[in-house]
Amino acid sequence: MGRITDRTVVIGQGYVGLPVAVRAAEAGFSVVGFDVEPRKVKLLNAGQSYVEDITDDRLTAAVESGSYRASCEPADLADFDIAVISVPTPMGEGVPDLSFIESACDTVAPYVTPGCTVILESTTYPGTTEELAGPRLEVGSGLKAGVDFMLGYSPERIDPGNATWSLENTPKVVSGVDEASLAAVQAFFDRIVDRTVPVSGTREAELTKLLENTFRHVNIALVNELAMYANDLGIDVWEAIDAASTKPFGYMRFTPGPGVGGHCLPIDPSYLSWQVERSLGQRFRFVELANDVNEHMPDYVVRRLQDILNDLSRSVKGASVLVYGLAYKANTGDARETPARPLIEKLQALGAEVWLADPHVADHQFPAGVTRVEGNADDLARADVVAFLVDHAEFDNETIGNAPVPVLDCRHCLTGPLVRSL
Ligand SMILES: NC(=O)c1ccc[n+]([C@@H]2O[C@H](COP(=O)([O-])OP(=O)(O)OC[C@H]3O[C@@H](n4cnc5c(N)ncnc54)[C@H](O)[C@@H]3O)[C@@H](O)[C@H]2O)c1
């Protein structure tokens, strides 16, 4: 471990903030992980991680070394050299909800001292760092950003559950409101990640993150729409996708699914379209179209299940539908904005009984009225139809693929006599 020097505070100990805090502690910083939820702080100080990418062992090592501790006491921010803000940025009734960034800045501001550095990491629209965070920190501290203290933005690219690309080996874009700020932000991240990528301003860094997520959102929408048309045309879209993916240039593989979820894709592109409309009076048509297609995928999956039951002379009403996966993607318990939720609600509204298997998601997050099942052979034998939404490693794909009832495979990873692909 490196030398413990700079005092770092990370505001928000969630999917983004906790990995940054633990990694910084491992890199030799003295870190306070600040969160407003006392329950989380208690767990963290006991070495119990609720973020799957950070193991209990890793957290415990950071706590026991004395280089990391969690706190919900603002006074523990005193004398920080570097503050990283990683709090939520949801949408509230169609507009970005920046209240978490505002309150985090208000918490940090009294502890801003000459020479310190504040780095915003939350995903947000271009201009937030300079127009919102900077002024708020200045008012609360009486100091000037870019003169008395350093201010920058560095988007997070963390991909929960990804075993290949971690915080350390994923290049990190860094920026500052002036040269000194950029240098300070880059120096910090150079110590905790393998490679930093400087850009000239905070707006460029903010836009980089929104571009990355909008790119993904739009391309997923493209293959989702294609999958629906290909099915109606009787063409195997998955075979076409596999074949197209052999092209070594100019093509990037995206696959259809039951919709998008998590804290990023369903929300971030709307930050961009909101800002374009607010500032330029223009509509960002790609984002609107992608939102429309992706938001309707749960309806489409329900329609396909309805068709399958229809072929069996059954109605959705009274049918037992076995659903695999509530999380929005494989091998994570993150069920925020998951498309499985509206999908299940639609099935219930049509009168179906829904059984749900998801070993990663806790009971209290299960939708009302569903029955938790393991998803074993007995469950498959009792169901009328199966909706396979998420390919968690724990699921026994062979048994599910050979179910005695029709299976709608939304991930194209099952084979069997009654399996139909999305
Ligand atoms: N989850 C991802 O995969 C991911 C990836 C890249 C970027 N992001 C972005 O990072 C930001 C954080 O997302 P997340 O997934 O870590 O959210 P999260 O909900 O997992 O964690 C946020 C934490 O901040 C805490 N918090 C809220 N207000 C606070 C305040 N005023 N002071 C201190 N703590 C506060 C919450 O209690 C919570 O623990 C968002 O802008 C998100 O869009 C998320």
Side-chain angles (χ1 to χ4, degrees):
M1 190 196 289
R3 192 166 49 93
I4 293 180
T5 49
D6 318 61
R7 204 170 132 69
T8 300
V9 297
V10 181
I11 315 297
Q13 292 293 276
Y15 285 92
V16 167
L18 182 61
V20 169
V22 170
R23 178 70 197 125
E26 290 168 350
F29 291 91
S30 169
V31 180
V32 170
F34 179 85
D35 203 286
V36 285
E37 277 197 39
R39 181 186 61 86
K40 289 188 173 178
V41 167
K42 208 169 159 193
L43 283 171
L44 294 173
N45 284 329
Q48 291 172 32
S49 171
Y50 43 80
V51 170
E52 282 158 333
D53 290 347
I54 298 295
T55 62
D56 286 353
D57 285 351
R58 221 177 133 191
L59 177 61
T60 302
V63 172
E64 286 181 354
S65 72
S67 49
Y68 172 84
R69 99 186 143 91
S71 170
C72 48
E73 290 299 329
D76 286 332
L77 306 183
D79 303 323
F80 76 80
D81 296 309
I82 295 141
V84 179
I85 298 176
S86 48
V87 293
T89 42
M91 288 295 281
E93 302 193 359
V95 295
D97 174 2
L98 297 178
S99 61
F100 296 92
I101 294 184
E102 288 170 355
S103 91
C105 287
D106 293 346
T107 305
V108 169
Y111 303 99
V112 169
T113 52
C116 79
T117 302
V118 181
I119 308 167
L120 182 62
E121 270 215 315
S122 300
T123 304
T124 183
Y125 63 81
T128 307
T129 307
E130 290 193 18
E131 293 160 16
L132 186 132
R136 250 183 137 94
L137 291 164
E138 288 175 353
V139 167
S141 66
L143 298 173
K144 189 107 188 85
V147 176
D148 304 310
F149 68 97
M150 268 74 79
L151 175 65
Y153 180 81
S154 177
E156 188 49 71
R157 284 172 164 166
I158 218 156
D159 182 19
N162 190 327
T164 309
W165 294 104
S166 63
L167 172 65
E168 293 93 305
N169 67 2
T170 304
K172 190 123 173 60
V173 173
V174 290
S175 69
V177 295
D178 61 355
E179 276 184 26
S181 294
L182 170 61
V185 175
Q186 187 166 17
F188 172 68
F189 283 113
D190 272 340
R191 281 179 59 187
I192 68 172
V193 302
D194 294 347
R195 186 179 151 219
T196 50
V197 181
V199 294
S200 65
T202 53
R203 283 180 178 75
E204 285 71 21
E206 289 159 335
L207 184 60
T208 301
K209 176 71 187 172
L210 295 183
L211 168 62
E212 290 167 7
N213 283 353
T214 303
F215 172 83
R216 194 165 161 69
H217 189 53
V218 166
N219 279 288
I220 290 172
L222 172 67
V223 288
N224 277 340
E225 191 165 37
L226 190 63
M228 293 189 272
Y229 289 138
N231 182 65
D232 290 346
L233 291 168
I235 303 170
D236 187 340
V237 73
W238 295 92
E239 204 179 329
I241 290 170
D242 284 346
S245 304
T246 62
K247 188 179 179 191
F249 50 87
Y251 184 80
M252 188 175 282
R253 183 188 173 88
F254 287 88
T255 51
V260 294
H263 193 349
C264 294
L265 291 198
I267 294 167
D268 300 352
S270 299
Y271 265 64
L272 190 53
S273 56
W274 174 84
Q275 199 208 18
V276 167
E277 184 151 14
R278 178 188 71 147
S279 306
L280 306 173
Q282 302 284 329
R283 295 173 67 178
F284 205 130
R285 290 167 295 164
F286 265 105
V287 172
E288 290 182 359
L289 187 58
N291 281 344
D292 189 43
V293 172
N294 288 336
E295 277 169 14
H296 281 96
M297 287 312 287
D299 294 325
Y300 176 71
V301 174
V302 171
R303 200 197 89 199
R304 291 287 303 277
L305 292 169
Q306 220 163 357
D307 291 348
I308 290 170
L309 287 167
N310 197 42
D311 286 347
L312 300 171
S313 304
R314 291 288 314 264
S315 63
V316 178
K317 189 169 185 172
S320 300
V321 184
L322 172 50
V323 175
Y324 285 87
L326 177 64
Y328 81 95
K329 67 172 186 173
N331 305 325
T332 170
D334 191 347
R336 292 178 294 180
E337 313 286 335
T338 174
R341 206 176 286 283
L343 194 154
I344 288 168
E345 284 165 6
K346 280 174 214 302
L347 288 171
Q348 289 174 321
L350 289 169
E353 189 182 332
V354 179
W355 303 337
L356 177 60
D358 195 319
H360 288 268
V361 182
D363 283 349
H364 71 270
Q365 293 194 64
F366 269 41
V370 304
T371 305
R372 181 191 274 277
V373 292
E374 276 182 27
N376 56 25
D378 287 346
D379 298 323
L380 287 163
R382 288 186 297 129
D384 293 307
V385 67
V386 174
F388 189 81
L389 305 184
V390 181
D391 49 339
H392 286 318
E394 290 84 352
F395 291 149
D396 178 352
N397 288 1
E398 204 183 322
T399 302
I400 300 168
N402 287 301
V405 295
V407 179
L408 180 61
D409 176 10
C410 298
R411 298 293 174 183
H412 198 59
C413 58
L414 303 176
T415 47
L418 300 178
V419 172
R420 302 182 197 188
S421 279
L422 188 70

